[in-house]
């Protein structure tokens, strides 16, 4: 549950960290785009263009007013009316010559329409006046005929002012006069430039909006892609973190359940979690070692109690038995030589067995009362050499590493361990012509390693787990307490002892002393 919560919390935190900045990011991007895409002094430019357009419109309206006045003036002029009367009678498409008001008005084109809308006369007298196109605008041109009211319009793309007014001549005949007037050249140029700038400004505004939307969209897409990649990476990292923790939790459950042999391993990792797993494995190993040592100490305590009782029970009758046998042998005064020999032989056998029992009693007593250790700085190589001198004729070979630091040891206790191991090794090779015992020391990884090895008969594989148990021995003599005592002494020094043996090849006892154990500051 805790691991699932850790995964969920990681995802929630990632989503919060990645998505919450999106809102200020969007506003920041919008502001930056607006600042970068906005025309410098944009409001002033827009206002100036609007003012220019307004002034241009005023100028056009003024020209439009003048065109209307001229058209009305022409329509009511007597000369024009006579010309129009003739034209209505005889549509010939003739010249406008002889119509002074027209020539003086500045109108660029003129057309007469009959009451039915038929074009009786049309003529453009200024370059650029497209009178034919003007006459196609039925809305403006036909208005006077349909409603009897004048109509004017401005064709922006042609810079042409169109005016249509009704007129009547003699005999009640009527029609429509249509005029077309171009704007002055300078006004046309200014109007074109203002229109071009206005169109460009609107186009630029639209382009700015398009660029703004495109950039913002791409940024959001990139942000979303990065968020998705980050989410995937977060899920992968979370899985990579939670999986070993789940394995570690399972391993803890195994250890809590009593399975101290369970080990967990991580592949291809070299990080804090791998260190944590390593610490857990070392903790489990330490628990196993302490449990093993605790069991061993419990057994040793039980055996010490038994040894103490046995030593007491055996020792008490030995002395009176020995005294009685001696007294019996001394008080015999007959001359029966045969019985004398028999008595002496029996007394000798009894004395030997009493001595054997005394030896066992002493061994039990020593085992039951191991003295408290007294630690002093000791050179292990020197202690080995002193102990080896007790076996001058034995095939003991020594390979001692130089420069070993002193260890805090109880000399007598360690000497007892060395003697026990060397004597066991010598007994293992007693019937081998090329038998030898090797004693080696070496320093490696914060340890001083002592190895005592023989090439004797070895120990059966199924016996190896029991060699340090009290009352277990592969020899025919002794009570099997020597290795148990040796293990106790070694562990009281903070060291550890192990055995390795192969049948018919030999046995090795290895003691590892930590260099810093009891080492002076």
């Amino acid at each position: 549950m805790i691991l699932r919560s850790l995964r969920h919390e990681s995802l929630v935190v990632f989503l919060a960290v990645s998505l919450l900045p999106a809102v200020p990011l969007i506003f920041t991007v919008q502001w930056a785009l607006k600042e970068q895409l906005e025309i410098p002094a944009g409001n002033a430019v827009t206002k100036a263009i609007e003012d220019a357009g307004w002034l241009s419109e005023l100028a056009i309206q003024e020209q439009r007013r003048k065109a209307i006045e001229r058209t009305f003036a022409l329509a009511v002029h007597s000369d024009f009316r006579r010309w129009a009367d003739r034209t209505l009678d005889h549509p010939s498409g003739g010249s406008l010559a002889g119509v002074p008001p027209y020539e003086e008005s500045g109108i660029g084109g003129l057309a007469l329409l009959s009451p039915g809308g038929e074009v009786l006369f049309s003529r453009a007298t200024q370059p650029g006046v497209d009178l034919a196109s003007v006459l196609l605008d039925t809305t403006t041109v036909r208005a006077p005929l349909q409603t009897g009211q004048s109509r004017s319009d401005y064709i922006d793309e042609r810079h042409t002012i169109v005016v249509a007014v009704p007129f009547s001549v003699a005999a009640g005949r009527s029609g429509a006069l249509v005029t077309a007037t171009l704007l002055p050249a300078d006004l046309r140029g200014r109007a074109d430039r203002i229109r071009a700038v206005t169109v460009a400004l609107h186009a630029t505004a639209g382009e700015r909006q398009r660029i703004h939307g495109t950039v913002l969209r791409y940024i959001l897409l990139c942000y979303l892609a990065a968020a998705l990649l980050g989410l995937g990476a977060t899920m992968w990292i979370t899985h990579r973190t939670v999986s070993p923790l789940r394995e570690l939790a399972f391993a803890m459950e195994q250890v809590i359940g009593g399975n101290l042999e369970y080990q967990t391993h991580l592949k291809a990792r070299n990080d804090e979690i791998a260190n944590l797993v390593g610490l857990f494995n070392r903790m489990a190993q330490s628990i196993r070692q302490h449990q093993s040592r605790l069991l061993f100490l419990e057994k040793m305590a039980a055996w010490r109690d038994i040894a103490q009782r046995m030593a007491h029970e055996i020792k008490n009758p030995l002395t009176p038995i020995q005294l009685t046998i001696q007294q019996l042998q001394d008080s015999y005064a007959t001359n029966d030589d045969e019985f004398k020999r028999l008595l002496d032989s029996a007394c000798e056998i009894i004395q030997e067995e009493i001595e054997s029992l005394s030896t066992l009693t002493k061994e039990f007593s020593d085992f039951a009362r191991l003295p408290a250790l007294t630690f002093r700085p000791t050179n292990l190589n020197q202690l080995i050499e002193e102990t080896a001198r007790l076996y001058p004729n034995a095939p003991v070979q020594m390979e001692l590493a130089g420069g070993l630091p002193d260890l805090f040891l109880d000399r007598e206790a360690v000497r007892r361990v060395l003697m026990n191991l060397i004597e066991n090794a010598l007994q293992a090779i007693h019937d081998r012509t090329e038998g030898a015992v090797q004693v080696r020391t070496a320093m490696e990884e914060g340890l001083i390693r002592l190895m005592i090895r023989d090439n004797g008969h070895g120990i059966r594989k199924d016996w190896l787990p029991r060699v340090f148990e009290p009352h277990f021995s592969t020899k025919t003599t002794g009570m099997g307490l020597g290795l148990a005592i040796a293990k106790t002494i070694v562990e009281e020094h903070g060291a550890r002892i192990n055995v390795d043996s192969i049948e018919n090849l030999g046995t090795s006892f290895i003691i590892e002393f930590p260099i810093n154990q009891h080492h002076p500051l």
Side-chain angles (χ1 to χ4, degrees):
M1 182 64 68
I2 295 176
L3 298 180
R4 287 198 297 270
S5 176
L6 178 61
R7 175 177 292 177
H8 295 159
E9 288 180 0
S10 299
L11 294 178
V12 170
V13 169
F14 170 79
L15 291 176
V17 171
S18 60
L19 296 182
L20 287 180
V23 175
L25 175 64
I26 292 174
F27 283 109
T28 302
V29 170
Q30 286 182 332
W31 174 82
L33 289 174
K34 183 177 180 181
E35 288 293 319
Q36 293 299 320
L37 296 177
E38 194 68 42
I39 298 176
N43 292 333
V45 172
T46 302
K47 183 63 175 174
I49 293 175
E50 290 176 353
D51 292 344
W54 179 74
L55 292 174
S56 176
E57 184 67 22
L58 286 179
I60 292 173
Q61 291 298 327
E62 177 63 21
Q63 294 296 321
R64 188 172 178 177
R65 184 187 63 78
K66 290 180 179 180
I68 293 173
E69 290 179 353
R70 291 167 183 167
T71 303
F72 274 99
L74 182 62
V76 298
H77 197 278
S78 57
D79 292 339
F80 174 78
R81 291 169 61 84
R82 284 192 293 271
W83 175 83
D85 187 34
R86 292 194 302 271
T87 303
L88 289 173
D89 288 337
H90 306 285
S92 60
S95 170
L96 288 172
V99 186
Y102 172 76
E103 295 175 352
E104 299 172 356
S105 66
I107 295 173
L110 179 147
L112 290 179
L113 275 65
S114 68
E118 180 184 0
V119 178
L120 302 176
F121 175 86
S122 66
R123 183 68 53 82
T125 59
Q126 282 185 350
V129 175
D130 187 359
L131 196 57
S133 298
V134 169
L135 294 175
L136 293 176
D137 187 0
T138 58
T139 303
T140 302
V141 172
R142 311 283 180 180
L145 299 176
Q146 297 171 354
T147 64
Q149 297 178 353
S150 62
R151 177 75 177 264
S152 67
D153 200 359
Y154 173 68
I155 303 175
D156 186 61
E157 61 273 13
R158 296 187 179 90
H159 302 300
T160 301
I161 300 171
V162 179
V163 180
V165 299
F167 74 92
S168 62
V169 293
R173 291 182 296 178
S174 62
L177 170 63
V178 179
T179 63
T181 304
L182 282 177
L183 292 178
D186 58 344
L187 185 57
R188 289 202 301 271
R190 290 186 175 90
D192 287 341
R193 288 192 292 273
I194 292 173
R195 183 186 303 109
V197 171
T198 303
V199 171
L201 183 63
H202 288 302
T204 303
E207 186 67 14
R208 289 200 304 271
Q209 291 296 326
R210 187 188 67 80
I211 294 174
H212 185 280
T214 301
V215 172
L216 186 60
R217 183 164 56 253
Y218 282 144
I219 289 176
L220 290 178
L221 287 175
C222 292
Y223 186 85
L224 180 60
L228 291 176
L229 289 176
L231 180 61
T234 300
M235 295 180 66
W236 179 77
I237 293 173
T238 303
H239 174 75
R240 182 174 168 82
T241 303
V242 170
S243 295
L245 292 179
R246 184 182 294 111
E247 171 66 20
L248 191 59
F250 178 78
M252 289 181 178
E253 292 177 354
Q254 294 294 313
V255 172
I256 292 173
N259 183 11
L260 298 179
E261 298 297 327
Y262 188 86
Q263 294 279 297
T264 182
H265 301 283
L266 297 179
K267 297 180 180 179
R269 290 190 73 116
N270 186 21
D271 53 14
E272 291 78 4
I273 295 180
N275 293 336
L276 181 62
V277 171
L279 289 174
F280 170 80
N281 289 334
R282 290 195 292 273
M283 180 195 70
Q285 181 181 7
S286 178
I287 292 175
R288 288 196 302 273
Q289 292 175 349
H290 282 82
Q291 186 185 54
S292 175
R293 187 168 186 273
L294 182 60
L295 293 175
F296 176 76
L297 292 176
E298 289 178 353
K299 290 182 179 179
M300 292 293 290
W303 273 99
R304 285 181 182 179
D305 185 60
I306 294 173
Q308 187 175 10
R309 292 175 181 272
M310 291 182 66
H312 178 74
E313 295 298 330
I314 294 173
K315 184 179 181 180
N316 285 341
L318 283 182
T319 300
I321 290 174
Q322 187 175 16
L323 292 176
T324 301
I325 292 300
Q326 185 66 42
Q327 184 179 4
L328 179 62
Q329 188 177 15
D330 293 340
S331 63
Y332 179 73
T334 64
N335 293 323
D336 188 346
D337 293 337
E338 186 66 24
F339 183 77
K340 176 65 173 176
R341 285 194 300 272
L342 179 61
L343 179 61
D344 290 341
S345 176
C347 289
E348 184 179 354
I349 292 172
I350 293 173
Q351 288 286 356
E352 290 177 356
E353 293 302 320
I354 289 174
E355 290 179 3
S356 177
L357 287 175
S358 296
T359 301
L360 293 179
T361 302
K362 183 178 183 302
E363 189 174 350
F364 277 133
S365 181
D366 291 342
F367 176 66
R369 296 192 306 273
L370 288 176
L373 302 182
T374 302
F375 297 97
R376 293 184 177 86
T378 304
N379 186 282
L380 182 61
N381 285 345
Q382 183 180 356
L383 182 59
I384 293 172
E385 291 172 349
E386 292 176 0
T387 306
R389 284 198 290 268
L390 299 176
Y391 309 93
N393 299 321
V396 178
Q397 304 170 358
M398 291 187 292
E399 297 179 13
L400 307 181
L404 297 184
D406 287 350
L407 298 173
F408 268 36
L409 306 175
D410 185 302
R411 292 179 62 87
E412 295 305 319
V414 175
R415 186 197 304 274
R416 183 174 181 179
V417 172
L418 293 173
M419 292 174 61
N420 182 272
L421 297 179
I422 292 174
E423 288 175 2
N424 287 348
L426 292 174
Q427 291 177 10
I429 63 170
H430 74 280
D431 58 351
R432 299 250 173 151
T433 56
E434 296 182 358
V437 176
Q438 295 178 338
V439 181
R440 296 179 181 175
T441 58
M443 183 170 62
E444 53 185 46
E445 298 180 357
L447 298 172
I448 293 180
R449 190 186 303 270
L450 165 64
M451 183 180 69
I452 299 177
R453 180 180 181 182
D454 64 69
N455 58 352
H457 296 285
I459 303 173
R460 283 170 41 181
K461 186 176 181 179
D462 57 328
W463 285 358
L464 286 176
R466 301 184 58 198
V467 295
F468 295 110
E469 293 182 3
H471 199 55
F472 178 83
S473 177
T474 60
K475 300 181 294 184
T476 58
T477 59
M479 293 298 296
L481 298 176
L483 289 179
I485 295 173
K487 181 177 177 66
T488 301
I489 293 173
V490 167
E491 291 187 346
E492 287 183 351
H493 279 78
R496 57 176 177 265
I497 183 171
N498 296 299
V499 60
D500 185 20
S501 183
I502 301 176
E503 286 189 76
N504 298 320
L505 290 180
T507 302
S508 298
F509 284 90
I510 302 170
I511 303 176
E512 294 177 340
F513 295 95
I515 292 178
N516 294 328
Q517 184 71 21
H518 303 298
H519 202 277
L521 298 177

